């Protein structure tokens, strides 16, 4: 078991470097459009702050190439100031003299937010000097940045190797949810996979086969599977290099008693006309699951004990092709099953359709949750001390 912040004792007055994921969308005025990621970090910040430590918080925001005033973490500092009045200061630098000075001046219970880590290119390179500079700021390191836990960057992987360390509540929760979902699922365990490319999802499907009772496959990735079974898929998105592998997956699923349900009808684009069809003709592009498939999928969802969903089952951003994804989301929202949504575009899809608050666990990390669903470990978590 990984050490968590609950296991850190006598931390009053200690300098703690906390890595958060404050990668929030901002508008052109610097207002936070969706503060979920900061909000989800508050329990860890509060727990540490309540114990009177000197809390130095760092995060990345976006993908800047050097300094970029539109990607400053200052708006996040303002958000934190509202939650921790008179305790939060912002330092407009990542490391260096100004940061050293600000840390030196901290009193017990103070919170200092550093500027966007990625303004320094050494962050993503896991540069040893940058690691040293960050590590010198603190006595203890805490990682709560689930969204980048699959990366080996200076502020998560590098620093964790240099300081006594622990994970925060957000990472702990994500690890527990995925571990339980795969080791001890409520049954029937139904996995729903969609999204554009089958290539991105192969490891995921392979990990779920034998563990889930049923896998529903929709979205662009379904067409490679349908092609592998000899169906005509018209001009729909397919990965010809993966047709054999798709066929193999279907065979393995049968051997391991996992039922796979593929679409039986489609909403397709034929020229610029939208058509409903069970057979995809040569000039058709399948862009959503059809009514019969919706019924098949929602019936499985209704009787599920646990649901994991990754990837929309159609090109849902286009209102003409959102019905399938909307109905899947509705069915999950209604179902009494424990539901987890994570990875890729799935959380965005569920939120934009208005069902975010009906899901038991919306993962905060796209890439990191994909890795957990693939049955892999996360490098930045691996380097945290075990108890
Ligand atoms: P992912 O990030 O892997 O979950 O993929 C999400 C993307 O898949 C969304 O942008 C959808 O528009 C897209 N998508 C879903 N179904 C299809 C489809 N049938 N054809 C093309 N793109 C699709």
């Amino acid at each position: 078991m990984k050490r968590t912040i609950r296991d850190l004792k006598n931390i009053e007055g200690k300098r703690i470097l906390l890595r958060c994921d404050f990668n929030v969308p901002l508008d052109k005025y610097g207002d936070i459009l969706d503060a979920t990621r900061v909000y989800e970090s508050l329990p860890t910040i509060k727990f540490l702050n309540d114990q009177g430590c000197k809390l130095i918080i760092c995060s990345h925001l976006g993908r800047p190439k050097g300094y970029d005033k539109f990607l400053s973490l200052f708006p996040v500092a303002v958000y934190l100031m509202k939650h921790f009045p008179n305790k939060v200061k912002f330092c407009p630098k990542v490391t260096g003299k100004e940061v050293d000075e600000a840390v030196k001046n901290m009193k017990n219970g103070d919170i200092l937010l550093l500027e966007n880590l990625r303004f320094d290119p050494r962050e993503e390179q896991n540069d040893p000097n940058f690691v040293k500079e960050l590590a010198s700021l603190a006595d203890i390191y805490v990682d709560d940045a689930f969204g980048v836990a699959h990366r080996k960057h200076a502020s998560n992987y590098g620093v964790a190797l240099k300081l006594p360390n622990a994970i925060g509540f957000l990472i702990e929760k994500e690890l527990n949810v995925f571990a339980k979902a795969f080791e001890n699922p409520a049954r029937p365990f139904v996995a729903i996979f969609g999204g554009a490319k089958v290539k991105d999802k192969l490891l995921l499907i392979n990990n779920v086969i034998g563990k889930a009772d049923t896998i529903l496959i929709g979205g662009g990735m379904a067409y490679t599977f349908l092609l592998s079974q000899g169906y005509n898929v018209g001009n729909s998105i397919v990965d010809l290099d993966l047709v054999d592998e798709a066929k193999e997956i279907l065979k393995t699923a049968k051997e391991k008693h996992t039922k796979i349900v593929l679409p039986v009808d489609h909403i397709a684009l034929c020229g610029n006309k939208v058509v409903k069809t069970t057979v995809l003709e040569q000039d058709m592009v399948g862009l959503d699951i059809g009514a019969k498939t919706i019924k098949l999928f929602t019936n499985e969802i209704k009787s599920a004990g646990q649901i994991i969903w990754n990837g929309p089952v159609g090109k849902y951003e286009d209102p003409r092709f959102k019905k399938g994804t909307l109905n899947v989301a509705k069915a999950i929202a209604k179902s009494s099953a424990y539901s987890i949504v994570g990875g890729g575009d799935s959380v965005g899809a569920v939120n934009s359709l208005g069902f975010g608050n009906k899901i038991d666990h919306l993962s905060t990390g796209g890439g990191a949750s994909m890795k957990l669903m693939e049955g892999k470990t996360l490098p930045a978590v691996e380097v945290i001390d075990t108890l």
Side-chain angles (χ1 to χ4, degrees):
M1 249 201 347
K2 292 292 170 188
R3 180 157 55 193
T4 77
I5 48 176
R6 263 183 243 98
D7 305 308
L8 299 174
K9 304 292 176 212
N10 306 319
I11 56 172
E12 185 175 354
K14 292 264 167 61
R15 298 168 307 159
I16 294 191
L17 180 66
L18 170 64
R19 174 50 158 113
C20 286
D21 175 7
F22 292 154
N23 188 21
V24 289
L26 299 173
D27 68 12
K28 62 179 176 183
Y29 307 107
D31 286 329
I32 301 174
L33 294 170
D34 176 358
T36 310
R37 284 192 163 137
V38 192
Y39 180 79
E40 297 274 352
S41 305
L42 294 178
T44 293
I45 299 173
K46 184 169 181 331
F47 181 85
L48 293 170
N49 179 254
D50 281 350
Q51 294 178 70
C53 61
K54 297 169 183 168
L55 196 54
I56 304 143
I57 309 181
C58 60
S59 172
H60 72 289
L61 173 56
R63 297 177 178 275
K65 305 234 174 305
Y67 179 76
D68 179 345
K69 68 176 177 185
F70 295 107
L71 292 174
S72 168
L73 278 170
F74 182 69
V76 176
V78 174
Y79 182 97
L80 291 176
M81 283 168 194
K82 286 182 195 143
H83 286 267
F84 301 95
N86 306 318
K87 290 185 170 176
V88 180
K89 287 207 176 83
F90 178 68
C91 182
K93 290 281 184 303
V94 187
T95 57
K97 257 194 196 150
E98 216 171 313
V99 177
D100 294 343
E101 200 57 33
V103 171
K104 215 186 276 169
N105 291 331
M106 287 177 85
K107 294 189 289 296
N108 295 1
D110 280 354
I111 297 171
L112 177 70
L113 177 64
L114 305 181
E115 185 51 287
N116 189 346
L117 286 159
R118 289 192 187 164
F119 286 174
D120 194 319
R122 297 177 300 168
E123 157 67 356
E124 288 183 88
Q125 296 156 1
N126 189 19
D127 176 279
N129 287 324
F130 189 55
V131 169
K132 229 189 252 172
E133 289 169 28
L134 285 170
S136 74
L137 300 175
D139 308 300
I140 298 166
Y141 170 72
V142 172
D143 190 3
D144 213 18
F146 181 68
V148 284
H150 58 309
R151 307 263 182 233
K152 286 184 178 180
H153 291 166
S155 68
N156 57 358
Y157 189 83
V159 177
L161 289 168
K162 294 270 180 209
L163 291 173
N165 54 45
I167 50 171
F169 292 140
L170 201 150
I171 288 194
E172 185 192 29
K173 183 173 151 204
E174 296 272 6
L175 295 177
N176 287 344
V177 163
F178 285 102
K180 183 177 176 303
F182 286 101
E183 285 158 21
N184 188 20
R187 298 209 177 262
F189 171 10
V190 176
I192 309 160
F193 296 133
K197 292 191 205 114
V198 70
K199 188 165 165 257
D200 302 343
K201 316 276 167 138
L202 284 178
L203 292 170
L204 214 158
I205 301 174
N206 272 322
N207 184 44
V208 172
I209 285 175
K211 297 182 181 125
D213 300 288
T214 307
I215 301 178
L216 314 176
I217 299 182
M221 60 183 283
Y223 300 107
T224 304
F225 285 94
L226 287 170
L227 191 61
S228 82
Q229 299 302 292
Y231 291 98
N232 194 353
V233 295
N235 272 326
S236 311
I237 186 171
V238 283
D239 194 328
L240 291 174
D241 292 338
L242 296 173
V243 176
D244 288 342
E245 202 162 334
K247 195 173 185 172
E248 201 53 37
I249 285 176
L250 295 178
K251 200 170 134 221
T252 312
K254 214 176 227 171
E255 287 160 9
K256 295 193 174 176
H257 308 290
T258 297
K259 176 166 119 186
I260 295 200
V261 184
L262 295 174
V264 294
D265 62 343
H266 318 269
I267 309 293
L269 207 52
C270 183
N272 50 19
K273 250 178 59 192
V274 177
V275 293
K276 297 174 182 175
T277 182
T278 46
V279 179
L280 287 163
E281 306 290 353
Q282 215 41 51
D283 51 354
M284 292 180 182
V285 182
L287 291 167
D288 197 5
I289 53 172
K292 284 186 196 142
T293 311
I294 289 179
K295 195 130 213 187
L296 282 179
F297 281 18
T298 51
N299 277 341
E300 296 288 348
I301 292 167
K302 255 185 219 161
S303 59
Q306 173 179 289
I307 298 162
I308 284 190
W309 184 15
N310 173 281
V313 295
K315 201 171 188 288
Y316 76 100
E317 300 94 333
D318 183 331
R320 297 172 300 174
F321 307 110
K322 78 170 190 187
K323 204 170 168 191
T325 304
L326 184 66
N327 277 285
V328 165
K330 262 189 196 162
I332 298 176
K334 262 200 210 154
S335 124
S336 56
Y338 182 73
S339 54
I340 301 171
V341 175
D345 204 22
S346 324
V347 174
V350 165
N351 278 330
S352 74
L353 295 170
F355 290 97
N357 60 353
K358 294 277 182 7
I359 305 295
D360 292 301
H361 183 72
L362 274 183
S363 178
T364 53
S369 67
M370 285 286 280
K371 291 284 168 221
L372 293 182
M373 287 194 241
E374 288 168 6
K376 302 238 178 76
T377 53
L378 303 170
V381 173
E382 284 304 288
V383 289
I384 298 293
D385 299 336
T386 41
L387 279 178

